């Protein structure tokens, strides 16, 4: 009886952005905490957007210019790496995929402590 009523009562919360993201970032549940895979996929898209926005805010803040470093043999490599275009969207996709492919946390793990450790 209770198992039958749970989806009726709580299924609507899967369709809201904040509960979706909250469920997804809880390392005990990730995508397995959803009744419908569509809602899990939508949560992943929403979290990807949030990550991309956070990364773009972080990269838009220009760090102070460091003093001129001494010339090294691999200076050409530094310039090549610095000239490489950065993509916040690609970085957010990679970060999310790495998180989702890790094993789920044990059920007695506090989600806040889990994220503090990372």
């Amino acid at each position: 009886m209770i198992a039958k009523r749970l989806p009726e009562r709580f299924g609507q919360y899967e369709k809201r952005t904040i509960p979706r993201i909250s469920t997804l970032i809880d390392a005990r549940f990730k995508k397995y905490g959803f009744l419908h895979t569509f809602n899990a996929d939508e949560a992943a898209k929403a979290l990807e957007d949030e990550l991309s926005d956070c990364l773009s805010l972080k990269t838009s803040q220009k760090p102070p210019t460091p003093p001129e470093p001494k010339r090294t043999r691999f200076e050409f490599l530094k310039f090549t790496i610095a000239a490489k275009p950065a993509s916040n969207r690609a970085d957010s996709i990679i970060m999310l995929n790495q998180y989702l492919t890790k094993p789920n946390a044990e059920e007695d793990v506090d989600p806040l402590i889990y994220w503090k450790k990372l």
Side-chain angles (χ1 to χ4, degrees):
M1 176 75 168
I2 292 176
K4 186 177 180 181
R5 298 274 298 161
L6 282 175
E8 287 176 21
R9 298 284 303 226
F10 297 109
Q12 64 187 343
Y13 295 106
E14 281 191 8
K15 298 174 184 172
R16 297 180 183 164
T17 304
I18 293 175
R20 276 181 177 168
I21 292 175
S22 301
T23 302
L24 193 62
I25 63 173
D26 189 333
R28 299 170 297 176
F29 303 123
K30 296 184 183 181
K31 283 191 169 187
Y32 300 109
F34 294 90
L35 292 173
H36 305 286
T37 56
F38 173 77
N39 291 332
D41 294 337
E42 289 298 310
K45 288 177 190 173
L47 183 56
E48 183 183 305
D49 290 340
E50 288 292 325
L51 284 171
S52 181
D53 290 345
C54 288
L55 289 174
S56 63
L57 285 175
K58 190 175 183 180
T59 57
S60 68
Q61 300 168 349
K62 300 289 183 195
T65 307
E68 188 66 32
K70 64 180 183 176
R71 297 181 67 84
T72 64
R73 285 180 264 172
F74 295 105
E75 192 169 335
F76 72 93
L77 188 57
K78 290 180 185 176
F79 289 122
T80 304
I81 292 171
K84 179 183 154 192
S87 170
N88 295 328
R89 177 61 64 180
D91 291 344
S92 65
I93 292 169
I94 291 167
M95 288 171 61
L96 184 60
N97 285 337
Q98 287 174 344
Y99 166 70
L100 291 175
T101 55
K102 287 182 182 178
N104 287 28
E106 297 295 322
E107 66 182 61
D108 61 344
V109 171
D110 183 343
L112 298 176
I113 293 172
Y114 174 86
W115 284 104
K116 253 186 182 178
K117 289 181 181 179
L118 293 180

